Amino acid sequence: MKTPPDLKLSRRHGRTLALTVLTLALAACASSRGLQPQARLLDVDSLQAGSTLTGTALSATGFPSSDWWRALGDAQLDALVEEGLRNSPSLDIADARLRQAQAQVAGAHADRLPSLSVSPGYTGMRLPESMLGDEAGGHYAGSTQAVLNFSYGVDLWGGKRAAWEAAVDSNHAATVDAQAARLDLSAGIVQAYLELSHAWELQQVADDELARADKTLQLTRQRRSAGIDSDLQVRQAEARLPVARQQQLAAQQQIDAARNALAALLGQGPDRGQQITRPQPLNPLALQLPGVLPSELLGRRPDIVAARWRVEAAGRQIDAAKARFYPSLNLTALGGVVSKDLGSLLESGSTFGILAPALSLPIFDGGRLRAGLAGRDADYDLAVSSYNRAVVDALREVADQVNAVRSLATQVETQQQAMTTAQAANDLALQRYRAGIGNYLDVLSTQDLLLQAQHRLSNLQSQRLLSSVRLSAALGGGFQPADNALPVAVETNNKNS
């Protein structure tokens, strides 16, 4: 059957009118012209570190393992780290933030889908005769209805998809943050344990000093009895005892503080710390770097990976903001049944339907859309700047700890020689003093030198251990992202986007 000429003409005019309206709408829409982000991703190849890291052993497996702290050689420490990873409240915070990000992904996905709802109900009314007369007024009338409501916002310009992708990228960042929280916790427990070990070593130094002071006091009293020394030397020797006891008390205070810190990191009360015994002698972690620095560091540092995902999320938010400058199409349909009694509700004469497509055209909004896009551009610049800073800081941290480990290894060796010399000098001074050919000032001087040498050696050994641990943390602490879990820009050597 042929279409009537009038109907063809009407359709042609309708299409022309629609195209005209759409063209005028696009021309009249608020413009995003001139708005764009300013920051650019840093090219990691521009960061030179070869000279700084020269002389350090390189290896294809130089990145730390996921349980890197086991190389320190203390079973109690291994158990404490495992306990902390099970119980610490700080991990609950990171996990809750991850669930928030997952909920946002689900919400953004729901915004892309149509919605369908049903609304059954009953309506009854009685109007007065004074308004409608005898025929319609003064009678009660009721109706039963069931309405099906369908609504769908068509994603013409990809804005909803961009918002969903931004939520997905933020979820990736939150996932990495949750992993980073576990790495930070394990590193924190290890460092607190090293502080505990150092405090116990200082207590041992104080114990040794107290033993030397007591031995010297006994010898001085013998010399006074023999008429060699006077009460002055005895009083000087006695004065060293309370000083040594004060050093013992100070070391015990540090032990108690380190135990309390460990208990808190484990998510327990202070009494848990009292159960921690003296650490075993710990071995500094081997100084070994991966041969793929600095490029591979980007994928091994969770803070950098999370920052890069936030850059991706910020870029998607810009796309979503730009889509708001264009017309939006919403489809709404209502359908249902209505009847004055329930028995006839499903009859064909009780049905009704409404179709209401709507086109929204942003023409003038006082600059709200431009302000929103400018804000998203600024968010992107902030995310890029944070990422660039994280990259630079990561490489600096690696270089700092490499230099520290190198220097402290040499300092420990030199200080061990100094302590050996100080110990020999003190032994000789005591021998001469015991034989009656030396004086108390020589003993006092050599004991002070020995005490200082012991303190310096203990401090340097502790700093060396801490630096080796911090280097493991600077290299990512054993973080290994899952397959396909990195932004494309990181996988392709982080080129500017």
Side-chain angles (χ1 to χ4, degrees), residues 99-124:
R99 291 194 297 273
Q100 283 181 331
Q102 292 170 342
Q104 291 173 354
V105 173
H109 178 64
D111 287 341
R112 302 175 61 200
L113 302 177
S115 63
L116 183 66
S117 63
V118 60
S119 303
Y122 173 82
T123 303

Side-chain angles (χ1 to χ4, degrees), residues 317-345:
Q317 290 288 8
I318 290 177
D319 295 337
K322 286 182 177 179
R324 299 187 185 102
F325 283 79
Y326 302 106
S328 61
L329 177 62
N330 292 302
L331 301 178
T332 302
L334 295 175
V337 291
V338 58
S339 176
K340 64 181 181 179
D341 58 79
L342 189 61
S344 59
L345 188 64

Side-chain angles (χ1 to χ4, degrees), residues 425-442:
N426 181 246
D427 293 342
L428 180 60
L430 280 173
Q431 291 174 6
R432 289 172 56 82
Y433 188 55
R434 187 178 295 111
I437 58 176
N439 59 62
Y440 181 73
L441 290 178
D442 291 338

Side-chain angles (χ1 to χ4, degrees), residues 196 200 252 254-264 270 273-274 276-277:
L196 177 63
W200 238 302
Q252 184 60 50
Q254 293 182 40
I255 290 173
D256 293 338
R259 281 172 159 174
N260 291 339
L262 279 168
Q274 300 304 312
I276 302 174
T277 60

Side-chain angles (χ1 to χ4, degrees), residues 25 316 347 360 422 497:
R316 299 290 185 267
E347 295 179 359
S360 176
S497 61

